[in-house]
Every structure is written in structure tokens, then in C-alpha cells.
């Protein structure tokens, strides 16, 4: 006859929670290298840490002193690793911001190859644009893009924003499973990821019930921080779809644009 109390039953499975936590931390470390870190994983780790704390209390109540040592060690190790990964993520983000602040010559250091064809961002109306040291100006004609469901290159459209380096994007797509879309931007010649955290977050648009070809995103704004005004460079803009159910992302389309960075 099993006479174990509730607390003793909880303590008997004490090892499950640190093992599950370590596995989740490994997955968390993988996601921290990317930009699709799911909120559910963060809360799962919080829940697992809570269960370890609860088991610690259960061990004390049940007076299982041997197991208490294992529970305490596993919980403390899990907590330190969890906080450590969050700290590394924060430091990495801050380092990226500092690098961006110092990248005012980025465009100059990455000239567009003569053989590379780049699209220009769309403008809303005809106007003459004057650069910082430009007295002549450049005429920019408004163009209404033709969206073709059979041509994925027309799905993504970039518009000029309120200032150089600030842009807006439209995105069309065929039927997609529920989730969200977002952009990734890369300098073409060296494949350098641009404004990684900020662009991912600013361009993320959630949707549901997209069952036929049509527009998903309309004039969602984002900013490229690398570089300065009047020093354009080639940027590969990629549109990605993240499947909510499968927790997987895939590339929808990409285009190469002549863009520049925003001067703070």
C-alpha cells in the first residue's frame, strides 16, 4: 500500500524539473542567436523555475534532506544559467546599439558594385530631393507598383519614409497559415545583418485567416541605423513568415534596394 504523502510524491520527481529546465535553456540559447525568440519559451522557463522552488518547499515539508540538496543545487544552477543567458542577450543588444552609433561611415565603406542592379524605394508623389550638400537636387517620380500574384518579386514594396533611412513596407502574399511576417535586412556585398533587433520588432505584423492572395502589411515603418544620409548602399530586404503553430520561419521573397542609414 502506497503511504507516501503528497509532498513525498512531489519530491520523488524532483529531478524532472532541472532536466526539463536545462533542455529549455539549451533551446533558449539557440533562439537568442536568432530573432524569433518565442515568448512562450520564456514563460515555460519561469514555470519550470517555479516548480523547482515548489519542490524545494516540498522537500522541507517532507523532511527529505538528501533530495533537498539535489533540489537546491539544480534550482540554483538553473536560475544562474537563466539569468546569465538574459544578461548575455542584453549585453549583445547594447553592443549592437553602440556599433550602430559608430557606423556613420558604413555606406561609404560599402559602395554599390557597378554591376549590381538595385531597386529604388517608392515615393508618394513627384518631387525634387535635395541632399545635405546638394544644390541641384534629384527628381523622384511617383510610381504605382503592379502587384502580380504569380510574381513573388512584386510581393514586397518598400516606400520612402519621413526621412532618409526611415522606410515603410507593403507585403502581399498567397494563402498563409496564421502567424506573423517580418523583415530582415542585409548589406549585400558582405552579407552584414542590419539593425537586427529593431527591424525585426518594428516590421513584425501578426495576422490570421489569410486564405487567399492579398495584402498583409500596409505601410509598416522601420529604420536602418547603419550609415548616414546621402551615402546609400545595397540592401537585400527579405520578407519572412513565421508559422504560429509550427514555430518555424521561412523566406517568402527578397529584393535588393538602394537604401541609406538614418542619422540620429
Amino acid at each position: 500500500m502506497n503511504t507516501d504523502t503528497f509532498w513525498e510524491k512531489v519530491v520523488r520527481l524532483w529531478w524532472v524539473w532541472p532536466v526539463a529546465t536545462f533542455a529549455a535553456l539549451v533551446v533558449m540559447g539557440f533562439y537568442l542567436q536568432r530573432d524569433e525568440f518565442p515568448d512562450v519559451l520564456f514563460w515555460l522557463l519561469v514555470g519550470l523555475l517555479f516548480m523547482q522552488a515548489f519542490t524545494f518547499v516540498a522537500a522541507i515539508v517532507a523532511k527529505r534532506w538528501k533530495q533537498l540538496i539535489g533540489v537546491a543545487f539544480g534550482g540554483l544552477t538553473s536560475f544562474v544559467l537563466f539569468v546569465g543567458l538574459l544578461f548575455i542577450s542584453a549585453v549583445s543588444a547594447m553592443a549592437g546599439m553602440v556599433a550602430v552609433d559608430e557606423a556613420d561611415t558604413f555606406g561609404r565603406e560599402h559602395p554599390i558594385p557597378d554591376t549590381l542592379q538595385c531597386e529604388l524605394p517608392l515615393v508618394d508623389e513627384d518631387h525634387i530631393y535635395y541632399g545635405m550638400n546638394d544644390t541641384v537636387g534629384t527628381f523622384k517620380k511617383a510610381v504605382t507598383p503592379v502587384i502580380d500574384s504569380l510574381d513573388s518579386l512584386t510581393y514586397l514594396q518598400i516606400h520612402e519614409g519621413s526621412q532618409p533611412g526611415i522606410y515603410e513596407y507593403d507585403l502581399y502574399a498567397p494563402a498563409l497559415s496564421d502567424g506573423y511576417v517580418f523583415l530582415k535586412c542585409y548589406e549585400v556585398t558582405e552579407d552584414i545583418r542590419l539593425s537586427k533587433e529593431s527591424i525585426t520588432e518594428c516590421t513584425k505584423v501578426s495576422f490570421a485567416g489569410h486564405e487567399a492572395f492579398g495584402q498583409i502589411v500596409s505601410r509598416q515603418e522601420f529604420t536602418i541605423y547603419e550609415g548616414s544620409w546621402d551615402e546609400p548602399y545595397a540592401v537585400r530586404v527579405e520578407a519572412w513568415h513565421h508559422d504560429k503553430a509550427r514555430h518555424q520561419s521561412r523566406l517568402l521573397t527578397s529584393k535588393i534596394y538602394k537604401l541609406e542609414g538614418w542619422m540620429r
Side-chain angles (χ1 to χ4, degrees):
M1 185 177 195
N2 191 347
T3 60
D4 284 354
T5 66
F6 167 77
W7 300 107
E8 290 173 331
K9 291 178 180 179
V10 171
V11 175
R12 184 183 299 151
L13 298 176
W14 71 270
W15 56 272
V16 172
W17 310 117
V19 169
T21 303
F22 295 152
L25 286 169
V26 171
V27 177
M28 181 181 181
F30 171 76
Y31 272 107
L32 285 176
Q33 301 176 35
R34 303 169 61 183
D35 50 320
E36 300 92 15
F37 182 76
D39 293 339
V40 65
L41 180 57
F42 173 83
W43 291 112
L44 173 62
L45 282 164
V46 172
L48 289 171
L49 290 173
F50 172 80
M51 286 304 303
Q52 292 191 65
F54 180 76
T55 306
F56 181 81
V57 174
I60 295 176
V61 174
K63 298 181 180 181
R64 294 296 185 92
W65 309 122
K66 292 183 178 180
Q67 287 89 341
L68 182 64
I69 297 175
V71 173
F73 178 78
L76 183 61
T77 303
S78 300
F79 180 76
V80 170
L81 290 175
F82 178 62
V83 174
L85 281 175
L86 292 180
F87 177 76
I88 291 173
S89 177
V91 170
S92 176
M94 292 178 63
M97 293 176 63
V98 172
V100 165
D101 289 337
E102 297 175 349
D104 58 331
T105 60
F106 187 87
R108 223 176 307 158
E109 295 169 355
H110 297 86
I112 301 174
D114 294 335
T115 56
L116 183 64
Q117 291 186 339
C118 300
E119 294 201 35
L120 299 176
L122 302 171
V123 297
D124 293 330
E125 56 185 18
D126 296 353
H127 71 277
I128 298 177
Y129 169 76
Y130 293 91
M132 296 182 65
N133 301 308
D134 187 3
T135 58
V136 178
T138 303
F139 177 73
K140 294 187 176 182
K141 181 176 179 58
V143 177
T144 301
V146 176
I147 309 302
D148 185 352
S149 62
L150 301 179
D151 184 1
S152 62
L153 291 178
T154 67
Y155 293 179
L156 175 65
Q157 300 292 336
I158 304 297
H159 300 260
E160 287 190 355
S162 57
Q163 295 180 357
I166 299 178
Y167 302 98
E168 299 171 342
Y169 85 100
D170 295 335
L171 183 64
Y172 299 77
L176 293 174
S177 56
D178 293 354
Y180 60 84
V181 292
F182 61 97
L183 299 184
K184 294 181 182 181
C185 295
Y186 296 85
E187 191 282 322
V188 173
T189 62
E190 295 186 18
D191 204 36
I192 299 173
R193 183 76 176 271
L194 304 172
S195 305
K196 177 179 177 180
E197 287 81 10
S198 64
I199 288 181
T200 296
E201 287 304 313
C202 289
T203 61
K204 186 181 293 184
V205 176
S206 300
F207 64 91
H210 185 73
E211 300 177 353
F213 181 84
Q215 188 170 16
I216 296 179
V217 182
S218 177
R219 295 304 187 95
Q220 186 75 7
E221 185 177 272
F222 66 97
T223 302
I224 295 178
Y225 292 103
E226 292 83 352
S228 301
W229 293 355
D230 297 335
E231 295 180 2
Y233 51 95
V235 179
R236 185 177 74 256
V237 183
E238 299 180 349
W240 287 72
H241 167 236
H242 182 83
D243 188 302
K244 180 180 178 180
R246 298 183 179 180
H247 301 290
Q248 295 179 345
S249 297
R250 66 182 180 91
L251 179 66
L252 293 176
T253 186
S254 68
K255 296 168 75 171
I256 296 177
Y257 279 91
K258 181 181 179 181
L259 304 179
E260 54 194 279
W262 181 63
M263 294 176 63
R264 302 196 226 191

